[in-house]
Amino acid sequence: MKKKNLDMPSNEFKEAGKKLVEWSANYLDNIESLPVLPKVKPGEIKSKIPQLPPIKGESFETIISDLDEKILPGVTHWQHPNFMAYFASTASGPGILADLISSTFNSNGMIWKTSPSLTELEQTVLNWYREMLGFPDYFKGIVYDTASVSSLHAIASAREYIQLGIREKGMSGIPKLRLYCSEHAHSSIDKACLTLGLGLDGIKKIPSNENFEMIPEELEKAIADDKANGIIPMCVVATIGTTSTTSVDPVDEISKICKKENIWLHVDAAYAGVTSMLPEMKKYFKGIENADSIVSNPHKWLFVPIDFSVLFIQKPDVLKRAFSLVPEYLKTNEDSQVENFMDYGIQLGRRFRSLKLWFVIRYFGVEGLQERIREHIRIAHQFAKWIDQSEDFEKLAPTPFSTVCFRAKPKNINDEEKINEFNERLINEINSTGELFLSHTKLNGKFTLRLVISGIRQEERHAENAWKLIQKIFYQLVK
Ligand SMILES: Cc1ncc(COP(=O)(O)O)c(C=O)c1O
């Protein structure tokens, strides 16, 4: 049989590649001409795509033309500078290109041998990242896809740390375990408890103060109560930058309680962790050196394409004890000299993600990244000032980072429920323009609008335009 490369021919790959890089550059250049939120109904995109696969291959031109005609109309444009919802996460040029190389290598870093560069670049770049954030060098970093998965592994380590033989015997017959976090902790912590057999009853939500920060005295009380009732305190999760308001739990005080009680402390800094690069933001990270584990997501606010989450862990041996299981076919002669990433989690295969962070840090430099994040915080604080100066709006939470929580307060409405309805209408009207995308939360029963500045293409003019649009729609609604 004649030898034949069955892949796409190289010349066609090059041509298509050039076209697609150009397509991507044009997309980013023209993104502001697109509506940030697509105007499609559920099922509309699906209805345009054949329900059965093509029997014969199709030309690349046809595929790209379908990308434009069938897919693009249903894309929510996270790269759009008017995407100010959730934690606005964007991908930068170097990060996008690194993803291409990762797929080109298609390395699977199960073990050192299956791609030494993958393992060693990840180790090195995470050391860089740790240095950039100013965390002590006893933290070892590991990449997972998302903060949800990083926290799951941190909490699994906390469960292993109490040494009840769960690895061998499972959860049956062991005393009840407890995880503590504030009412504002992310739902991924609850999901980790579901997955690890603690159940939702295994979580105690600690009350917060008026600034949405966990109250350490309440934590102490909850731990004492549980101990008196034979429940084993297993883990405390503190958050630096909670999802709704970006409030900061007092990690320093919490870490002292954890130390006294010998409880694992996990810090969720998925969004705000990157700000530890800035000397002026260090005040929010007091006590971080005492955490057992910390999660920070470069895919949220460091311009690295999704997905990319880093778990820093002080006791990697505990994480390894929880997960390491080596089948015969994965044993190698180098095992005693190297780190095999499969030992540090549930997944075996892993893509070459560290290329993305490596490209991004090298291209922008630490100073370049610091400048961008600092500018986001400045713009968000500017927006917060406009809210404070307005008679028709009020801020509903402090703004430590780049997320502003606020609501409209029409003078002619006094009833709280009606104010909520008004704000819900306001955000729906804003988002339906396609010019701006905000998300919401509820704080003390108040419907709250959230505006986030963390995208690489966001400038002050975008915040100004957002503020103009919000006011314009407000005045239309109060008329
Ligand atoms: C504080 C915090 N932790 C965890 C997560 C979950 O992030 P991921 O999507 O990476 O799992 C979020 C999501 O926004 C978050 O805000």
Side-chain angles (χ1 to χ4, degrees), residues 128-135 273-274 276-277 282 296 312:
W128 286 9
Y129 187 46
R130 186 194 59 220
E131 287 299 307
M132 287 161 63
L133 301 184
F135 296 165
V274 294
S276 183
M277 276 195 283
K282 289 285 182 204
S296 164
F312 288 111

Side-chain angles (χ1 to χ4, degrees), residues 87 146-149 186 188 239 241-243 268 270-271 297 299-300:
F87 285 133
T146 56
S148 305
V149 172
H186 189 259
S188 56
T239 311
T242 57
T243 312
D268 180 353
Y271 151 75
N297 272 14
H299 82 217
K300 282 207 195 312

Side-chain angles (χ1 to χ4, degrees), residues 98-114:
D99 236 354
L100 175 67
I101 303 303
S102 172
S103 293
T104 304
F105 285 148
N106 197 35
S107 294
N108 184 339
M110 315 184 277
I111 52 179
W112 177 85
K113 190 176 187 157
T114 56

